[in-house]
Amino acid sequence: MDGYLYFVITLILILVFTSIKATRNFLTQYLSEFLTAIGAIGLTVVDIQSGSDNIFIGTSSWKDVWVVLLIIFSLIVLSAIIVGAKRNLHNRTVQEEINKNLLLKKSIKTYQEEYYKLCSNNILHLFESFYTTGGERISIYKHQGDHFTLLGRCSKNFAYNKNTDYKYRDNEGLIGKGWDENEVIVNGSPKWTGKGTDYKNFMKTKCNITDKRLNKIGMKSRSLFVKTINDNNTASNPDGIIVFESINPTKITSNECNQLISDNEKALLTLLKNMKNLTKKTQ
């Protein structure tokens, strides 16, 4: 069989493999290695047959065409080197961008954590008189699209002072109800005992909330006051929402909470707007 037929058969096999999606994707992914293999095999064959008088094609022997074949397979090897170099450069570039992105996310998270601490500290200073027994907590939320996320929270009881990344839907819980009605107060909820059946039933009469969500809430507050915070000089949606909580069933009064909000309204609005601007920039 003429020598060129071996190369024709090889070419046909390559065309068959590239017509199948799975093998085509594999060959594309490892194109550099594939070209290197072809070039190396070809150069090896040319080296072995370079002095042969066997017919390669027509009347030309291997001896007659080995230089041409040497050039062809050398170019294939060179192509493999170029393809590999480009792929490595691309991979390095992609990895560098991934590393930059990870560093940026880490910086943003640190930045947000620091602002969360700042917001929480401000809550403590603005509403110091509210904290009388250790069983109180104040939280400020921002509204984003169809949900709320926590901006800052303060309680003198560490167990109630934990941050959360939970996103409350704006039709969920007393927060959602307060968003719709501007102001909501709940007093006299039963103490959580056992599986909290009485507490759950009570809260579900006050707002739209599930047992699953109530189970996950760390502070089973027995009195709460929820109110929207808004700059009345604008016609836009409220800037956020504030929640006063206590494990004392009679601690919360709307008069006290409204007075605290009124006394600190300017500072509260400034704090809330600055925090909202921060979260917009870091999303």
Side-chain angles (χ1 to χ4, degrees), residues 139-141 148 175 178-179 226-229 239-243:
S139 305
I140 297 178
Y141 295 83
F148 299 94
I175 294 176
W179 186 254
V226 182
K227 186 167 185 175
T228 56
I229 308 169
D239 296 292
I241 201 161
I242 188 168
V243 181

Side-chain angles (χ1 to χ4, degrees), residues 21-280:
K21 184 177 180 180
T23 54
R24 181 172 65 250
N25 291 340
F26 179 82
L27 293 176
T28 300
Q29 183 177 359
Y30 296 99
L31 182 58
S32 176
E33 291 80 358
F34 181 61
L35 291 175
T36 299
I38 292 176
I41 293 172
L43 289 173
T44 301
V45 172
V46 171
D47 182 54
I48 294 172
Q49 296 290 345
S50 60
S52 174
D53 291 322
N54 293 332
I55 297 299
F56 179 79
I57 185 171
T59 59
S60 300
S61 67
W62 283 89
K63 187 190 299 184
D64 298 328
V65 301
W66 77 272
V67 174
V68 175
L69 294 176
L70 177 65
I71 294 172
I72 291 173
F73 288 110
S74 295
L75 290 174
I76 291 175
V77 172
L78 179 61
S79 298
I81 295 172
I82 294 173
V83 170
K86 287 184 176 180
R87 184 183 63 190
N88 291 338
L89 178 61
H90 172 73
N91 289 344
R92 283 199 302 272
T93 302
V94 171
Q95 189 59 50
E96 287 173 0
E97 291 302 316
I98 291 174
N99 292 340
K100 288 179 181 178
N101 191 41
L102 290 174
L103 287 173
L104 180 60
K105 287 182 178 180
K106 185 177 180 180
S107 297
I108 289 173
K109 184 177 181 181
T110 301
Y111 199 35
Q112 289 177 326
E113 287 174 350
E114 290 303 315
Y115 266 82
Y116 173 83
K117 292 177 184 177
L118 175 64
C119 185
S120 300
N121 288 335
N122 272 275
I123 291 172
L124 175 62
H125 296 313
L126 291 174
F127 302 102
E128 178 70 32
S129 62
F130 176 74
Y131 301 99
T132 57
T133 68
E136 299 86 16
R137 182 172 76 180
I138 298 176
S139 305
I140 297 178
Y141 295 83
K142 65 180 181 296
H143 186 253
Q144 291 182 299
D146 61 354
H147 66 274
F148 299 94
T149 53
L150 185 65
L151 275 182
R153 166 175 286 170
C154 185
S155 172
K156 291 189 175 181
N157 187 326
F158 178 76
Y160 304 144
N161 205 27
K162 296 178 181 178
N163 191 1
T164 176
D165 57 1
Y166 181 78
K167 296 179 179 180
Y168 290 88
R169 298 191 309 275
D170 55 14
N171 64 348
E172 177 185 14
L174 289 173
I175 294 176
K177 188 174 182 180
W179 186 254
D180 288 335
E181 300 179 7
N182 182 54
E183 181 179 311
V184 172
I185 186 166
V186 172
N187 279 306
S189 66
K191 186 177 181 180
W192 182 285
T193 57
K195 294 183 179 180
T197 301
D198 293 339
Y199 185 90
K200 293 175 186 176
N201 291 336
F202 178 86
M203 284 300 174
K204 285 190 287 186
T205 65
K206 301 297 181 181
C207 61
N208 173 35
I209 194 165
T210 64
D211 287 354
K212 182 178 180 181
R213 182 59 203 152
L214 286 167
N215 284 327
K216 290 185 176 181
I217 293 175
M219 183 176 179
K220 314 299 190 200
S221 301
R222 301 182 66 190
S223 57
L224 304 96
F225 179 80
V226 182
K227 186 167 185 175
T228 56
I229 308 169
N230 190 30
D231 183 352
N232 293 322
N233 293 324
T234 66
S236 60
N237 286 333
D239 296 292
I241 201 161
I242 188 168
V243 181
F244 294 80
E245 302 174 75
S246 176
I247 58 173
N248 184 326
T250 59
K251 160 71 177 176
I252 304 292
T253 67
S254 58
N255 287 339
E256 179 192 15
C257 294
N258 276 315
Q259 187 61 53
L260 286 169
I261 293 171
S262 177
D263 291 344
N264 300 283
E265 185 175 15
K266 185 175 180 180
L268 190 59
L269 280 169
T270 300
L271 175 66
L272 183 61
K273 287 181 178 180
N274 287 340
M275 296 298 291
K276 287 183 72 175
N277 289 334
L278 169 69
T279 54
K280 286 179 181 178

